[in-house]
Amino acid sequence: MGVKGHPMTNGSRNSHNRKIRRTFNNIKITVLCGIVTILVLRGTVGLSTLLGLPSPSQQTDPAMLEDIDRILREIRSDSDPDSDPAVEYNSSLSNSTETVKTNYTLGLKVTNWDQHRRNWLSFNPGFSPDPNKPQILLVTGSTPNPCEQPIGDHYLLKAVKNKIDYARLHGIEIAYNMAHLDQEMSGYWTKLPLIRKLMLAHPEVEWIWWMDSDAIFTDMAFEIPMTRYDDHNLIIHGYHDLFFKQKSWIALNTGSFLLRNCQWSLDLLDTWALMGPRGATRNEAGKILTEYLEGRPDFEADDQSALIYILLSQKEKWIDKVYIESSYYLHGFWTGLVDKYEEMMEKYHPGLGDERWPFVTHFVGCKLCSSYADYPVERCITSMERAINFADNQVLQLYGFAHKGLESAKVKKIRRDTANPLEVKENLNLEASLSF
Amino acid sequence: MLERCIGERRIRQIQRATRNLKLTFLCLLLTLLVLRGTIGAGKYGTPQQDFIELRHRFISHPHRALAEEHQPEPKPKQSDKDDEPPLRSLNNPYSLGPKISDWDEQRINWVRRHPERPNFLTKTKPRVLLVTGSSPKPCENPVGDHYLLKSIKNKIDYCRVHNIEIFYNMALLDAEMAGFWAKLPLIRALLLAHPEVEFLWWMDSDAMFTDMAFELPWERYAPYNLVMHGWDEMVYKDKNWIGLNTGSFLLRNCQWSLDLLDVWAPMGPKGPVRTEAGKILTKTLKDRPVFEADDQSAMVYLLVTQKDKWADKVYLESAYYLHGYWGILVDRYEEMIENYHPGFGDHRWPLVTHFVGCKPCGKFGDYPVERCLKQMDRAFNFGDNQILQMYGFTHKSLGSRRVKRVRNETSNPLDVKDELGLLHPDFKAVQNRAS
């Protein structure tokens, strides 16, 4: 009826505005209602169900987590602070972290230790070693504080069980250390004062066997051929060429080695310890080591590089009593071994100790206890679990059980129970003269 | 459109009314929420709890690796789930294994054939195997594994000083006997596989040695086959379910023990058997709460109902703390240090402090977590001090992980004797070597 242009445009603009306003109002109300609905639902069914996540309040009491938080904070505040120069029993080192310590010693010099030991043993026949079986003390340890990752503590526990099993089967004693005996010798250097202390306190022990907490026994039947080492005082895994020719910083591995309880060893420890004291000494020593050894990155002195350096630079003094063992895996680097366990179980048997059935699988670089590792955590965990179960199978088979798979914690019977268990035991072949 | 049906005025009225209703509804809800925030709404919680929950969810705590994302557990394979054993019915009796009737004879023959592994280390000291264990899965409590580690170190130390071997179990040998019953199939398997072991010493993972100098009085137990901490009166007269404790006990390796295990086991299998057995136990024993059958109550029941058969070979030890309930001991450590010395094993210096009910590995214990963990630290240090003193050190305090030197260095270390004589104690000397 009317002109369909002018009045319609005005009207359409008005209605357009009204529409926008209406939409805006609707959106506001929708949002408000949405919020209110969520809050009401939260009150009834709980936030977690709403978000589709497992409810923490059903699993762990938040109050308990607060408690554990508080305890962990307290524990960590009580731990030895790394930069604390005040050492209780040695006040002469009060401000010495800034200077290179030339007067550091592991303890008062002990001389004529061999004679002292012999005398003591003759007066204490109840403790004198069996000449056919020299007494070995396996020494290992870990930090007194909870690991930064709880899974680290879990694997420390499994690793110590693994060592308990091997030691029981071979008549070896274990000492597990959780104390920092010497503030200066922190980190990987803690083993030096510890080894020295144990040697001097236990003259009945012929060999101290240091083993890192991340080294796992994977051949339960293998017995160290001690007679091979009658003329040596230090047995360490390594490669001749890497050591003598290339002077590589990984030519030897101090994660698993044996040291005879004698004067020579005490002297070696004294020399070895000089690069250890933390602070300027260790940093300066690190520079010397990086320059001297092939492939060594730039970082403070570590015990392994320091030992290689000493044995190379003072060769005439030490090397004739050192046995660089490579015929079996006194230390076996894990990456090349862990995927082959099934193949080993198929083709070989325990007791070989070498690449066919490694004696020790050493998880260098995994560092599950701390939060910085050189390898992805998941890979380390799976591989460690496999190594531990691979070893555990060798123990469980004495009782007629085995793990369902190398990655499974569950076990299954592999031998039927009988009313004559000792007949079975006599016939069990563990490929070595095991005491059990 | 609607306008044409009802009329414009009506429409506007309806719109107004709807708007008012909406506003009223919204205000009501807001009031409720504000009230909830101030006085709380019972189980519906408060915004404060929401905040804590959100914080815990979105801010990762380094120690909260108990959450699934930090534990790449091997994916539970379907096959693992499939072989959960079917629950045993009540008329299908359980057996630990094929019946053995001549175990004493089998054992003697074996020991004779293997003189290199005698069952007695000296005339009086038997070969002992300490057995303990824990679950192969990481603890649900983020610090649980750390306390298990300290606990096993504590046992390693005691056993090294006392020449005792250790078996740490992490395998569930029989899925039916899960939980506290898992020790029975394990004990039987160990007894049969180790004829040279004279005594098996079971110890819970939450029990710690606090007297490193105390050697068990082995001669006292020569006529007995089972030694537990407890009181004759509380067991045989009162029928009290805590009249004895199976958290730390000695079992001789002999036919009698195999028979005892066979009679002890039937209440154990998971499911209706254990539940029904639990009811019988609660009815028969004094003060026992209602829950499924546990090995300790079953032992009391066994001794009470079959006293004539077993009691003469069972020794209930109360002269020292073969098991010491932690609640009455941990606050007295400083007093003990002041007034007594290691070697007593009793209330003056307990051999074992047992953290019953703490469950450091699990989620829920019967006691506040903080008290349990702090006291476990103290008990550990109390025992550890006795080991460290061998080497001239001690903890700075019972609550501290740090150590300090208490004995000066010397250039003649063999002239120094440790105060407690634990470095080379008499009970460790092996007399065979002397000859």
Side-chain angles (χ1 to χ4, degrees):
Chain A
M1 289 287 240
V3 182
K4 281 190 172 110
H6 207 60
M8 288 305 277
T9 328
N10 264 343
S12 76
R13 206 175 331 149
N14 279 340
S15 69
H16 193 59
N17 283 342
R18 265 204 299 272
K19 264 189 212 142
I20 291 173
R21 243 180 290 143
R22 242 202 317 257
T23 326
F24 204 54
N25 278 338
N26 285 340
I27 290 175
K28 268 194 276 183
I29 293 187
T30 315
V31 170
L32 267 169
C33 289
I35 293 175
V36 163
T37 315
I38 290 175
L39 285 165
V40 170
L41 279 175
R42 181 259 170 266
T44 46
V45 303
L47 176 67
S48 1
T49 325
L50 209 55
L51 295 177
L53 301 163
S55 161
S57 55
Q58 283 159 15
Q59 291 180 341
T60 48
D61 182 9
M64 179 175 117
L65 288 175
E66 296 285 325
D67 277 344
I68 293 176
D69 248 335
R70 190 173 38 246
I71 292 167
L72 280 172
R73 260 179 280 135
E74 274 178 40
I75 290 172
R76 296 217 165 93
S77 68
D78 176 50
S79 47
D80 300 304
D82 265 337
S83 54
D84 180 15
V87 173
E88 280 217 2
Y89 51 88
N90 204 341
S91 51
S92 63
L93 298 171
S94 50
N95 60 346
S96 46
T97 45
E98 297 314 311
T99 59
V100 172
K101 296 179 193 65
T102 48
N103 57 351
Y104 173 80
T105 57
L106 280 174
L108 287 178
K109 184 99 184 117
V110 173
T111 51
N112 218 357
W113 176 238
D114 296 332
Q115 187 61 47
H116 287 314
R117 253 196 94 207
R118 267 196 297 272
N119 292 343
W120 189 93
L121 288 170
S122 61
F123 284 122
N124 293 274
F127 290 93
S128 69
D130 183 350
N132 300 324
K133 199 171 177 356
Q135 181 66 9
I136 300 177
L137 178 65
L138 180 74
V139 183
T140 185
S142 58
T143 168
N145 299 319
C147 287
E148 278 163 40
Q149 296 187 89
I151 200 72
D153 276 312
H154 182 68
Y155 281 95
L156 283 174
L157 181 69
K158 286 192 151 155
V160 78
K161 168 194 155 59
N162 169 276
K163 293 182 175 81
I164 289 173
D165 285 333
Y166 183 87
R168 184 183 64 250
L169 289 168
H170 294 263
I172 292 174
E173 287 188 351
I174 302 181
Y176 195 96
N177 180 57
M178 271 176 148
H180 292 143
L181 300 183
D182 187 337
Q183 298 277 33
E184 297 295 327
M185 304 292 270
S186 57
Y188 15 63
W189 290 95
T190 44
K191 59 176 79 97
L192 265 70
L194 176 65
I195 291 174
R196 183 181 194 269
K197 179 112 300 202
L198 289 170
M199 276 189 183
L200 296 177
H202 293 287
E204 74 279 13
V205 166
E206 183 65 23
W207 292 93
I208 298 263
W209 182 354
W210 167 264
M211 219 165 141
D212 279 356
S213 57
D214 56 3
I216 308 286
F217 283 107
T218 35
D219 190 337
M220 288 294 174
F222 186 82
E223 179 96 10
I224 294 188
M226 295 310 297
T227 47
R228 198 184 291 183
Y229 312 121
D230 281 342
D231 297 325
H232 299 88
N233 295 335
L234 169 63
I235 308 161
I236 188 163
H237 184 272
Y239 300 100
H240 273 252
D241 281 352
L242 271 181
F243 181 74
F244 289 106
K245 292 213 184 98
Q246 291 176 44
K247 299 192 186 355
S248 163
W249 78 295
I250 48 169
L252 305 177
N253 190 286
T254 52
S256 170
F257 64 89
L258 288 100
L259 194 61
R260 194 187 289 273
N261 189 355
C262 60
Q263 186 63 48
W264 181 96
S265 301
L266 293 177
D267 297 337
L268 178 69
L269 287 169
D270 283 340
T271 313
W272 192 358
L274 292 173
M275 287 190 161
R278 63 189 163 91
T281 314
R282 208 184 285 183
N283 292 334
E284 288 307 309
K287 295 184 189 144
I288 299 172
L289 295 172
T290 304
E291 215 188 286
Y292 188 88
L293 299 171
E294 186 202 278
R296 187 180 193 273
D298 230 326
F299 68 110
E300 55 174 24
D302 64 301
D303 63 303
Q304 181 172 297
S305 311
L307 181 67
I308 298 175
Y309 173 78
I310 291 166
L311 296 181
L312 281 173
S313 59
Q314 301 176 34
K315 218 182 288 187
E316 316 74 36
K317 191 167 177 201
W318 308 105
I319 208 68
D320 59 330
K321 291 291 185 185
V322 177
Y323 196 108
I324 300 176
E325 181 62 84
S326 50
S327 69
Y328 62 89
Y329 279 137
L330 180 58
H331 139 86
F333 187 63
W334 66 286
T335 51
L337 298 171
V338 292
D339 298 314
K340 303 212 184 97
Y341 290 141
E342 280 87 357
E343 185 192 314
M344 293 174 192
M345 292 196 297
E346 217 175 304
K347 289 202 210 142
Y348 304 114
H349 54 78
L352 301 169
D354 52 23
E355 71 281 349
R356 295 168 295 173
W357 199 284
F359 182 34
V360 171
T361 303
H362 187 188
F363 288 83
V364 190
C366 272
K367 299 198 193 102
L368 284 178
C369 194
S370 67
S371 32
Y372 354 87
D374 307 333
Y375 299 91
V377 170
E378 191 162 338
R379 177 152 178 242
C380 279
I381 289 177
T382 319
S383 306
M384 247 188 173
E385 188 71 28
R386 283 167 57 80
I388 284 168
N389 290 342
F390 178 72
D392 200 30
N393 277 346
Q394 298 165 51
V395 176
L396 289 175
Q397 70 114 346
L398 288 166
Y399 310 105
F401 287 86
H403 282 263
K404 286 187 172 171
L406 285 188
E407 278 155 45
S408 169
K410 295 194 176 181
V411 301
K412 60 178 193 243
K413 250 198 227 255
I414 55 169
R415 207 164 55 228
R416 289 181 60 199
D417 279 340
T418 118
N420 290 306
L422 294 178
E423 270 175 25
V424 177
K425 187 179 163 83
E426 293 277 24
N427 296 327
L428 264 182
N429 189 5
L430 250 185
E431 284 299 321
S433 52
L434 279 191
S435 31
F436 257 53
Chain B
M1 258 162 283
L2 232 43
E3 292 171 14
R4 267 180 255 139
C5 299
I6 305 171
E8 224 181 280
R9 221 179 68 122
R10 275 331 266 292
I11 290 296
R12 268 204 290 272
Q13 270 177 345
I14 291 172
Q15 276 178 343
R16 246 201 313 260
T18 347
R19 227 179 307 150
N20 285 340
L21 267 171
K22 274 192 251 181
L23 280 169
T24 317
F25 192 51
L26 275 169
C27 288
L28 198 66
L29 276 163
L30 281 170
T31 316
L32 278 172
L33 286 165
V34 170
L35 280 174
R36 177 178 170 269
T38 47
I39 61 178
K43 67 174 162 144
Y44 298 120
T46 64
Q48 168 69 7
Q49 286 170 2
D50 286 346
F51 178 66
I52 293 175
E53 227 180 72
L54 280 169
R55 187 162 56 119
H56 282 297
R57 176 153 321 285
F58 294 115
I59 301 172
S60 59
H61 284 239
H63 69 269
R64 275 197 71 234
L66 62 82
E68 288 78 54
E69 61 264 23
H70 286 269
Q71 285 172 18
E73 269 182 9
K75 304 169 201 55
K77 303 181 189 70
Q78 192 52 39
S79 56
D80 271 3
K81 290 202 178 110
D82 285 337
D83 37 41
E84 281 291 325
L87 295 178
R88 184 176 289 271
S89 65
L90 291 168
N91 52 11
N92 183 8
Y94 173 82
S95 155
L96 280 170
K99 180 90 185 135
I100 299 178
S101 323
D102 59 344
W103 180 237
D104 290 332
E105 202 187 304
Q106 285 191 42
R107 242 196 108 212
I108 288 178
N109 289 336
W110 196 95
V111 169
R112 240 181 249 142
R113 277 199 308 273
H114 295 265
E116 74 282 1
R117 297 280 296 168
N119 55 336
F120 273 85
L121 302 176
T122 68
K123 262 202 243 71
T124 47
K125 189 174 162 72
R127 183 186 298 276
V128 181
L129 179 67
L130 184 102
V131 183
T132 184
S134 59
S135 163
K137 299 202 195 85
C139 286
E140 280 159 347
N141 179 335
V143 289
D145 280 305
H146 177 71
Y147 284 90
L148 284 176
L149 182 67
K150 287 176 84 161
S151 177
I152 186 58
K153 170 195 154 57
N154 168 279
K155 294 179 175 84
I156 288 173
D157 287 333
Y158 181 88
C159 291
R160 183 177 66 253
V161 172
H162 292 264
N163 219 352
I164 292 176
E165 290 173 23
I166 302 180
F167 187 92
Y168 196 96
N169 182 55
M170 273 176 154
L172 180 60
L173 300 187
D174 187 341
E176 272 194 281
M177 301 288 269
F180 16 64
W181 290 95
K183 58 174 82 95
L184 265 69
L186 173 67
I187 291 174
R188 186 178 194 269
L190 288 171
L191 290 177
L192 296 180
H194 298 296
E196 71 283 5
V197 165
E198 182 63 23
F199 266 112
L200 192 147
W201 185 349
W202 167 266
M203 209 159 146
D204 280 356
S205 59
D206 55 1
M208 284 211 228
F209 283 106
T210 34
D211 190 341
M212 294 294 178
F214 186 83
E215 170 82 356
L216 263 61
W218 301 107
E219 305 94 333
R220 192 185 301 176
Y221 306 136
Y224 301 98
N225 295 334
L226 172 60
V227 180
M228 292 177 287
H229 183 269
W231 301 268
D232 283 324
E233 239 187 57
M234 271 185 82
V235 171
Y236 299 113
K237 222 171 91 173
D238 298 343
K239 303 197 183 44
N240 195 319
W241 78 297
I242 49 169
L244 51 80
N245 189 285
T246 51
S248 169
F249 65 88
L250 300 165
L251 188 65
R252 193 184 292 275
N253 192 352
C254 58
Q255 183 64 49
W256 182 97
S257 301
L258 294 181
D259 297 338
L260 179 79
L261 288 169
D262 283 338
V263 169
W264 192 4
M267 287 189 163
K270 260 194 318 195
V273 174
R274 208 184 280 187
T275 323
E276 285 310 305
K279 294 182 188 152
I280 299 173
L281 293 172
T282 305
K283 219 171 60 173
T284 323
L285 303 176
K286 179 171 176 226
D287 291 345
R288 188 183 191 270
V290 177
F291 69 109
E292 53 176 21
D294 64 301
D295 61 304
Q296 182 172 299
S297 311
M299 174 57 76
V300 178
Y301 180 80
L302 198 164
L303 291 181
V304 159
T305 54
Q306 302 181 41
K307 186 171 176 189
D308 309 314
K309 189 161 181 214
W310 307 104
D312 61 329
K313 290 291 189 186
V314 175
Y315 191 93
L316 292 178
E317 177 68 88
S318 50
Y320 64 90
Y321 281 129
L322 180 59
H323 138 85
Y325 171 62
W326 67 286
I328 55 171
L329 298 171
V330 291
D331 297 309
R332 294 182 35 232
Y333 288 143
E334 280 85 0
E335 181 198 313
M336 293 173 192
I337 293 174
E338 220 187 280
N339 298 325
Y340 305 112
H341 56 78
F344 288 120
D346 54 20
H347 62 280
R348 293 169 292 181
W349 203 284
L351 171 66
V352 171
T353 302
H354 186 187
F355 287 86
V356 194
C358 271
K359 299 198 185 68
C361 190
K363 296 175 284 190
F364 311 110
D366 306 330
Y367 302 94
V369 165
E370 198 164 344
R371 175 154 166 85
C372 275
L373 297 186
K374 274 215 169 108
Q375 297 307 326
M376 285 179 90
D377 276 331
R378 281 164 52 80
F380 173 84
N381 288 345
F382 184 74
D384 199 32
N385 277 346
Q386 298 163 51
I387 298 294
L388 289 173
Q389 66 84 26
M390 290 198 272
Y391 308 108
F393 286 84
T394 193
H395 282 268
K396 286 188 173 175
S397 75
L398 281 188
S400 168
R401 282 163 162 71
R402 300 165 72 173
V403 301
K404 64 182 188 216
R405 198 185 279 274
V406 287
R407 205 164 60 224
N408 283 331
E409 280 276 328
T410 148
S411 47
N412 289 311
L414 293 176
D415 294 339
V416 178
K417 253 203 132 29
D418 68 297
E419 260 178 47
L420 302 175
L422 291 181
L423 275 175
H424 306 101
D426 290 332
F427 46 71
K428 196 176 177 188
V430 178
Q431 280 164 12
N432 317 348
R433 289 218 194 105
S435 44

